[in-house]
Amino acid sequence: MTSASANENCLGWAARDPSGVLSPYEFNRRAVSSDDVLLDIAFCGMCFADVLWTRNILGTSKYPLVPGHEITGIVREVGTDVKHFKVGDRVGVGTYVNSCKECEYCCDALEVHCSEGAINTFDGIDVDGTVTKGGYSSYIVVNERYCFRIPENYPLASAAPLLCAGITVYTPMIRHNMNQPGKSLGVVGLGGLGHLAVKFGKAFGLKVTVFSTSISKREEALNLLGADKFVISSDEHQMMALSKSFDFIINTASGDIPFDTYLSLLKTAGVLVLVGFPSEVKFIPGNLILGMKSIVGSVTGGTKQTQEMLDFCASHKIYPEIEIVPIQYVNEALERLIKKDVKYRFVIDVANSLK
């Protein structure tokens, strides 16, 4: 039997050049091989990576470019050797769709750190030599190892942002033992990543403080997201009053921050995690050394931990705050994303708007 994907056009929206403007685009997906899953895409979250790649900010974009790496949908077809999924299952796909499967990191379920380089969900080079195309499209074909089961009681639209934003903050929180009730967590920035860090922190039983430059986020931080405190990070008096009071700080902001100031807020052996991308990391070494403090980085996460996170969110009723939009609105949504005009993640209703 011939795979549906071998002869069926995939509908999508693609950028053709660094203007980043997306428009309708038809292309072919590779055929379903023995260990592949084909899923019809229901929803796709919109990440800032979509802005970076469609506009060639990093200088590596390959056009036409179909973005999107927070994908949820329904299995339509499985390869003959697929063991963990069947037709009709609810599944997700995150930021990568393949890896070497043999290096020490792949063998330790840390495929995102594959020694050969994980294959990105979009704008990567797939196993057949073609350029991968993401979730702003009608369906996708992915090796089953890189698909995740969405719990039955969890909405597909809400699950989408977990596959990048969610796992990006969950991974360092688990790695650095931020799941100890009663410990104190500071969250810098309150966007797509930051609001989920707050929700995870509260679910772990932490005392959570949000740092923001915008007073307008105070009410939602405290009342919608459940943070314990809200601090204006540009207020020196508020910041000084919190000296040596945090076990952990997660910086989700991509703008530059005063590292020495935040290091001064950490307790002895405190950890400052970077998941945003500031232009530089600059601090006085003594502020790190005296007090046995750490600055660490983290990206998304491996397959085992991503499934664990999805199950954790379902069991603890953790849901991202989302704004669902039709695919015809993606250009306006990307502009709003640049302006930080979203609370807190756009999710494209692919199934009902891409025709």
Side-chain angles (χ1 to χ4, degrees), residues 80 115 149 169 177 185 343:
T80 54
S115 295
R149 186 175 301 281
V169 292
N177 302 310
L185 169 70
K343 294 179 180 177

Side-chain angles (χ1 to χ4, degrees), residues 31-109:
V32 175
S33 47
S34 61
D35 53 0
D36 281 340
V37 170
L38 182 155
L39 61 138
D40 287 316
I41 296 173
F43 296 96
C44 184
M46 298 181 69
C47 173
F48 199 77
D50 301 346
V51 174
L52 297 178
W53 263 265
T54 55
R55 302 188 181 206
N56 197 27
I57 302 300
L58 303 180
T60 60
S61 298
K62 297 174 281 294
Y63 298 101
L65 191 149
V66 179
H69 60 201
E70 297 181 339
I71 302 165
T72 58
I74 306 295
V75 175
R76 191 211 309 171
E77 182 181 342
V78 296
T80 54
D81 295 334
V82 169
K83 297 179 176 63
H84 300 104
F85 300 98
K86 64 183 185 304
V87 173
D89 281 350
R90 295 150 41 90
V91 296
V93 175
T95 62
Y96 53 95
V97 292
N98 221 319
S99 64
C100 81
K101 307 181 185 69
E102 297 176 348
C103 70
E104 60 178 305
Y105 305 108
C106 286
C107 290
D108 202 23

Side-chain angles (χ1 to χ4, degrees), residues 321-334:
E321 303 298 324
I322 60 175
E323 180 178 337
I324 298 176
V325 298
I327 199 160
Q328 293 77 11
Y329 187 73
V330 291
N331 290 307
E332 290 86 349
L334 289 170

Side-chain angles (χ1 to χ4, degrees), residues 2-9 28-29 31 139:
T2 302
S3 164
S5 61
N7 51 27
E8 175 191 334
N9 279 354
N28 292 316
R29 294 283 188 189
Y139 74 94

Side-chain angles (χ1 to χ4, degrees), residues 183-187 197-198 201-202 206-210 226-229:
K183 296 285 188 176
S184 54
L185 169 70
V187 177
V198 173
K202 294 305 297 179
L206 303 178
K207 299 172 184 175
V208 180
T209 298
V210 170
D228 299 286
K229 292 182 181 178

Side-chain angles (χ1 to χ4, degrees), residues 300-313:
T300 56
T303 54
K304 181 180 179 181
Q305 199 158 66
T306 299
Q307 188 64 62
E308 174 190 298
M309 174 210 59
L310 290 166
D311 295 339
F312 181 84
C313 287

Side-chain angles (χ1 to χ4, degrees), residues 182-348:
K183 296 285 188 176
S184 54
L185 169 70
V187 177
V188 182
L190 197 61
L193 276 65
H195 93 287
L196 283 169
V198 173
K199 287 179 180 254
F200 284 132
K202 294 305 297 179
F204 290 142
L206 303 178
K207 299 172 184 175
V208 180
T209 298
V210 170
F211 294 94
S212 177
T213 57
S214 176
I215 188 64
S216 64
K217 294 188 176 182
R218 183 179 188 278
E219 184 175 345
E220 288 195 348
L222 298 175
N223 299 325
L224 174 66
L225 303 178
D228 299 286
K229 292 182 181 178
F230 181 88
V231 174
I232 295 296
S233 56
S234 57
D235 187 320
E236 291 185 15
H237 295 291
Q238 288 188 50
M239 297 292 277
M240 289 175 61
L242 295 171
S243 176
K244 299 181 180 179
S245 60
F246 290 93
D247 298 288
F248 318 106
I249 297 174
I250 296 181
N251 176 32
T252 70
S254 289
D256 291 333
I257 65 167
F259 280 89
D260 288 305
T261 298
Y262 282 102
L263 285 172
S264 74
L265 305 188
L266 289 173
K267 296 179 181 179
T268 297
V271 179
L272 170 57
V273 177
L274 304 185
V275 293
F277 283 81
S279 64
E280 66 176 4
V281 176
K282 187 176 181 180
F283 58 88
I284 297 170
N287 290 336
L288 192 72
I289 298 166
L290 301 176
M292 203 168 56
K293 300 171 184 179
S294 302
I295 295 178
V296 299
S298 188
V299 286
T300 56
T303 54
K304 181 180 179 181
Q305 199 158 66
T306 299
Q307 188 64 62
E308 174 190 298
M309 174 210 59
L310 290 166
D311 295 339
F312 181 84
C313 287
S315 62
H316 289 79
K317 294 181 170 52
I318 298 171
Y319 305 103
E321 303 298 324
I322 60 175
E323 180 178 337
I324 298 176
V325 298
I327 199 160
Q328 293 77 11
Y329 187 73
V330 291
N331 290 307
E332 290 86 349
L334 289 170
E335 288 294 335
R336 285 179 56 192
L337 185 56
I338 293 168
K339 298 173 183 175
K340 302 179 182 178
D341 177 24
V342 56
K343 294 179 180 177
Y344 282 88
R345 201 70 160 185
F346 286 117
V347 175
I348 305 167

